[in-house]
DNA sequence: CTGAAAGCGCTAACAG
DNA sequence: CTGTTAGCGCTTTCAG
């Protein structure tokens, strides 16, 4: 038995002859090492949990932001024979209440480490991570701590980049659609928006901001109302910038239903660079995030952390690049 | 210790007073039962693996067909406190060769059961499932066996439905784009296409069939070549039906680049009913599959199977419904 | 109602 | 180079 273990794990000395016999037997019996015994022994399950709670219902699965990251994560993990435990739905805790507990997969020893996408860490979360020394990586948040790894997009600068492009094309009246209470990425982009207005001495108009969920929704009431109100108003923007592609695509769909011409009446920009945006008509002008790269880097960081728990946690930013569609035209 | 176990699992007799003390301690110590010990003991990990090998590279993650199913699966599994192990990438086997082994997660005891999406079971796979009595559910395939559960769409009938609609609108010259060697769903739809032509005494023209991958691809050479060839030919279809929405959306994008007007020059139909298709311009006319329902049903079947392994496996078909866009117009 | 013993499958440490 | 022992955390079984 011990010999079998040595053969499988490739450590320790086993006579060539014995090794072959063991391998033969493994083959014949179609034997697989039972991860449970192995894991119970060395406290390592070779599984990384990927978390993405989506509080307002719906799943991450149709949002290319999450799925792009997920793909990058899985590719990298597969290289190292790790598996992904996917966790996006609330579930009952001991008291029978439905809630999303970030640490559950780790606490139950279903995962060695956690990667969190699209959610914000509270200070009490951070305390937990520090106390329990939970290997943790956050994508798209900038928690104020040195006990987690962080992957992020240069949201603020990225947003300014696309604004600068629009500015150079003559746009001065610029709206922001899709500001979301809970999405940190979009909030950062909004900061970029505000700073840009400031830089260029443009006036911030609360009337040009639409606060609404950032998920795809052709019936988004806030957007419909805003476009309707502008129909009968003379102060309206020439450009609608959107917090992400989903909002931009929804806005285009809504505009079309309302018979508003894009980009003739309003130019529109997105942020994310999802494939879907390139199938719209007009094609969306947007910023592309290197999602797969970001996911892979998250996996790399966390695997590395498992090997070297003492190494300091770091933050890594990724730049976004412009995708030129036809939804942004000169004034 | 034994008492703690009884409290957590809610079985056996524990004095009310003792129970409270234990619960208090659990709370205070932030104790979580270690799944490994538990699982090693009762051979049950409370994890279901979801498999979706994508041989030609790329991930399932940007294909709404897979992600829709995945979402349905996760919602149902969360209800029963099961987790998902996601497995879509090949990985090294013992011999160091990269391959996708359907049974690995089960064999390694990383999962109690397997749900396979978008792949075909070979007879040797089926033998393995039968011999090892692996709890298995397939979505979108109709394996010739009674030892797996099966969820499927009524592909053939569904395809005929949309063809019938087009026929009634006057279409007689009908193409099929996106026939794929490996996708069983699309092959079934193709059978529906062939049977329909036969029913209506329309001529099957090999020239009207494009065999190509079914993934989104704006640079799909087969499609480009075909459209180009039709530009300089007088025998061309009035309608291009596509094996799925991805192909339809790609075809529309390619047509636009080639300055071919849709639907004026060709009507186009899809199959799947992905949200993306409703953001195109014109909106895609397509058939909607109830993906989330299908995923949930798969999860339900497999959880039920784990409780009652002796119950017979069944097959469950889901009907598709028409989504009317503007990509299909009368001749 | 609660505790003690044994064992699930594996591997670290040690003995041979 | 190979085998033995012990223990990972839990639950089943049997005693108290």
């Amino acid at each position: 038995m011990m010999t079998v273990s040595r053969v499988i794990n490739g450590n320790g000395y086993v006579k060539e002859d014995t090794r072959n016999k063991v391998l033969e037997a493994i083959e014949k019996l179609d034997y697989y090492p039972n991860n449970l015994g192995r894991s119970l022994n060395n406290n390592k399950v070779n599984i990384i949990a990927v978390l993405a709670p989506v509080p307002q219902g719906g799943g991450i699965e149709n949002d290319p932001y999450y799925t792009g990251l997920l793909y990058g994560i899985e590719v990298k993990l597969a290289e190292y024979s790790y598996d992904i435990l996917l966790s996006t739905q609330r579930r009952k805790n001991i008291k029978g209440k439905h809630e999303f507990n970030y640490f559950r997969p780790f606490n139950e020893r279903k995962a060695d480490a956690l990667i969190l996408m699209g959610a914000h860490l509270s200070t009490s979360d951070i305390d937990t991570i520090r106390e329990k020394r939970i290997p943790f990586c956050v994508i798209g948040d900038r928690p104020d701590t040195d006990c987690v790894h962080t992957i992020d997009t240069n949201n603020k600068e990225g947003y300014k980049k696309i604004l600068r492009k629009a500015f150079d094309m003559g746009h001065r009246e610029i709206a922001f659609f899709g500001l979301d209470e809970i999405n940190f990425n979009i909030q950062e982009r909004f900061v970029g928006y505000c700073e840009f207005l400031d830089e260029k001495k443009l006036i911030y108009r609360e009337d040009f901001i639409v606060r609404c969920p950032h998920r795809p929704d052709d019936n988004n009431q806030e957007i419909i109302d805003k476009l309707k109100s502008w129909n009968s108003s003379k102060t309206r923007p020439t450009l609608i910038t959107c917090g992400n592609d989903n909002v931009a695509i929804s806005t285009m769909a809504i505009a079309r239903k309302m018979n508003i011409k894009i980009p003739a009446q309003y130019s529109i920009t997105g942020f994310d660079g999802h494939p879907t945006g390139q199938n719209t008509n007009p094609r969306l002008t947007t910023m592309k995030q290197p999602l797969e790269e970001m996911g892979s880097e998250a996996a790399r960081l966390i695997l590395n952390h498992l090997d070297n728990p003492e190494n300091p946690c770091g933050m890594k930013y990724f730049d976004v690049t412009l995708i030129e569609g036809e939804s942004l035209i000169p004034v």
Side-chain angles (χ1 to χ4, degrees), chain A residues 204-237:
Chain A
Y204 172 88
R205 299 174 54 98
E206 186 59 32
D207 176 46
F208 280 6
I209 312 301
V210 170
R211 291 161 211 277
C212 67
H214 63 285
R215 331 207 85 241
D217 176 10
D218 292 6
N219 296 305
N220 186 308
Q221 201 57 47
E222 288 90 345
I223 293 178
I224 293 171
D225 289 347
K226 184 57 75 182
L227 292 180
K228 205 173 285 174
S229 81
W230 284 341
N231 272 343
S232 55
S233 157
K234 54 187 196 304
T235 55
R236 56 188 185 199

Side-chain angles (χ1 to χ4, degrees), chain A residues 98-319:
Chain A
H98 276 269
E99 61 161 27
F100 196 94
N101 182 337
Y102 293 164
F103 310 116
R104 182 189 56 83
F106 179 82
N107 286 332
E108 293 179 346
R109 305 304 312 132
K110 281 189 169 182
D112 297 323
L114 306 170
I115 296 178
L116 175 65
M117 322 186 284
H120 197 56
L121 284 179
S122 70
T123 51
S124 92
D125 292 335
I126 291 173
D127 290 344
T128 307
I129 292 169
R130 189 187 307 280
E131 278 166 35
K132 294 201 168 187
R133 323 194 81 229
I134 301 174
F136 207 100
C137 178
V138 182
I139 307 181
D141 190 6
R142 222 164 291 176
D144 186 20
T145 175
D146 60 353
C147 66
V148 306
H149 296 275
T150 307
I151 300 281
D152 209 348
T153 301
N154 223 324
N155 283 303
K156 215 172 69 176
E157 283 315 310
Y159 216 81
K160 285 186 190 174
K161 251 192 229 174
I162 200 165
L163 286 170
R164 203 164 293 130
K165 165 118 192 143
F167 187 90
D168 291 344
M169 291 167 93
H171 290 277
R172 295 296 180 271
E173 310 290 322
I174 302 172
F176 188 104
F177 275 24
L179 180 57
D180 185 301
E181 302 296 313
I182 53 175
N183 188 296
F184 187 73
N185 288 287
I186 294 182
Q187 285 161 20
E188 283 203 313
R189 293 167 202 165
F190 183 67
V191 172
Y193 168 82
C194 293
E195 289 187 7
F196 183 82
L197 294 190
D198 212 44
E199 265 173 38
K200 298 294 183 184
K201 309 284 180 226
L202 301 177
I203 297 152
Y204 172 88
R205 299 174 54 98
E206 186 59 32
D207 176 46
F208 280 6
I209 312 301
V210 170
R211 291 161 211 277
C212 67
H214 63 285
R215 331 207 85 241
D217 176 10
D218 292 6
N219 296 305
N220 186 308
Q221 201 57 47
E222 288 90 345
I223 293 178
I224 293 171
D225 289 347
K226 184 57 75 182
L227 292 180
K228 205 173 285 174
S229 81
W230 284 341
N231 272 343
S232 55
S233 157
K234 54 187 196 304
T235 55
R236 56 188 185 199
T238 57
L239 165 64
I240 297 169
T241 68
C242 298
N244 70 10
D245 280 1
N246 288 332
V247 173
I249 291 164
S250 300
T251 302
M252 284 207 276
I254 289 167
R256 189 147 51 87
K257 277 196 238 168
M258 296 174 67
N259 218 18
I260 295 170
K261 301 292 176 221
I262 307 292
Q265 209 157 337
Y266 302 106
S267 280
I268 288 190
T269 62
F271 200 102
D272 274 346
H274 298 330
T276 310
Q278 302 316 301
N279 291 319
T280 55
N281 183 4
R283 289 205 318 267
L284 186 61
T285 295
T286 186
M287 302 300 289
K288 183 177 176 59
Q289 305 186 64
L291 295 173
E292 294 178 15
E293 239 182 283
M294 290 164 69
S296 285
E297 178 65 11
R300 202 189 62 74
L301 283 174
I302 212 75
L303 290 177
N304 189 55
H305 180 99
L306 291 174
D307 285 340
N308 313 289
E310 301 312 329
N311 284 9
C313 293
M315 185 171 296
K316 179 135 184 190
Y317 291 97
F318 285 80
D319 278 333

